[in-house]
Amino acid sequence: DEQNIVRLLRLYLRNEGFDVVAAADGRQALDRFATEAPDLVLLDLMMPQLSGFEVCTEIRKKSDVPVIMLTARSDDVDKIVGLEMGADDYVTKPFNPREVVARVKAALRRRTWDRESNDGAAEEPTPITIGNVTLEPASRDVTVAGTRVRLRQREFDLLEAFLRHPNVVLDRERLLRLVWGQEYEGDTRTIDVHVAWLRDKLREADAKIETVWGVG
């Protein structure tokens, strides 16, 4: 809702070849999202009508498009809540617009890698089963004791990383490389949030995600 920030980001993003659609409040943002189908969303946290948290929650009900939050609040709680709502990354104001452009490019590259890894294999990848948990890489389905469990994109990718490395302690940095990609520049604590989500959704699983304190 700060027009000077909108003008600045539009200028820098357009100079990098992006088409930019702006919205001045949360309800308008959802309307524009529905009509424009953007490849990525830059979402201000504090907006009129609906907050960035509320907008992100609505977007996540229908899309896994990358969402980068812009926030003037540096509190860890706000950042964690943003990640829990489904944001992929966040930038704290005041920010360098070049950093925002770099974050946008990195998020879009990760999305391209995800699509290529899902679509580009010549042979259909083999399902992974540990205990009563089965993960189907081709269809991106997960079942626990035969019952399907709905996972977000990053939750699925994180679970796949765990299942492909059974009985291996994976630290945050390695998990970020495996799941978010080499160029991820956000907070490593996003791993903690996603692991907590996975544990909650896999309560009936006999394959457990365990913490080795101080390691991974």
Side-chain angles (χ1 to χ4, degrees):
D1 60 329
E2 299 177 64
Q3 289 304 306
N4 59 326
I5 292 181
V6 173
R7 287 192 293 269
L8 182 65
L9 289 177
R10 179 187 282 121
L11 173 64
Y12 274 80
L13 288 166
R14 283 182 172 172
N15 284 343
E16 294 295 326
F18 293 105
D19 294 325
V20 180
V21 176
D25 62 62
R27 294 193 184 281
Q28 189 180 66
L30 287 176
D31 291 341
R32 296 279 169 86
F33 183 85
T35 57
E36 300 290 339
D39 295 308
L40 179 140
V41 175
L42 276 174
L43 187 58
D44 199 357
L45 184 60
M46 302 300 293
M47 291 192 299
Q49 303 294 329
L50 294 174
S51 72
F53 290 141
E54 293 171 301
V55 172
C56 188
T57 298
E58 291 302 312
I59 287 175
R60 280 292 171 257
K61 290 178 180 178
K62 61 193 75 172
S63 173
D64 63 358
V65 64
V67 175
I68 300 176
M69 289 251 189
L70 303 177
T71 173
R73 305 193 299 195
S74 59
D75 292 345
D76 287 342
V77 171
D78 291 325
K79 296 173 182 178
I80 295 299
V81 169
L83 294 170
E84 289 178 343
M85 293 294 133
D88 296 272
D89 199 359
Y90 57 83
V91 180
T92 303
K93 301 174 187 175
F95 53 76
N96 185 326
R98 295 182 187 278
E99 178 190 359
V100 176
V101 172
R103 298 283 186 96
V104 167
K105 289 181 175 180
L108 291 173
R109 277 195 296 270
R110 289 195 297 271
R111 187 165 177 82
T112 299
W113 293 336
D114 289 340
R115 287 171 172 171
E116 288 177 350
S117 64
N118 292 334
D119 300 335
E123 297 182 2
E124 188 171 295
T126 303
I128 308 168
T129 298
I130 294 182
N132 61 357
V133 179
T134 298
L135 180 145
E136 297 272 359
S139 62
R140 295 182 71 80
D141 287 330
V142 172
T143 58
V144 176
T147 300
R148 187 183 180 196
V149 178
R150 298 185 65 86
L151 300 181
R152 297 185 181 95
Q153 176 186 346
R154 293 301 181 196
E155 293 169 350
F156 180 94
D157 295 341
L158 188 59
L159 178 61
E160 183 174 5
F162 283 131
L163 293 179
R164 291 190 184 279
H165 300 82
N167 301 313
V168 175
V169 180
L170 302 172
D171 60 28
R172 288 185 181 89
E173 287 71 23
R174 187 173 180 188
L175 285 169
L176 285 172
R177 290 195 300 271
L178 289 170
V179 178
W180 276 260
Q182 295 283 358
E183 300 188 31
Y184 179 74
E185 299 175 353
D187 196 319
T188 60
R189 283 168 294 184
T190 187
I191 293 290
D192 301 35
V193 175
H194 283 79
V195 168
W197 288 342
L198 272 179
R199 284 178 169 147
D200 183 61
K201 292 182 177 180
L202 301 177
R203 289 189 300 270
E204 304 302 318
D206 55 19
K208 302 298 182 183
I209 302 171
E210 297 182 356
T211 298
V212 178
W213 294 106
V215 184

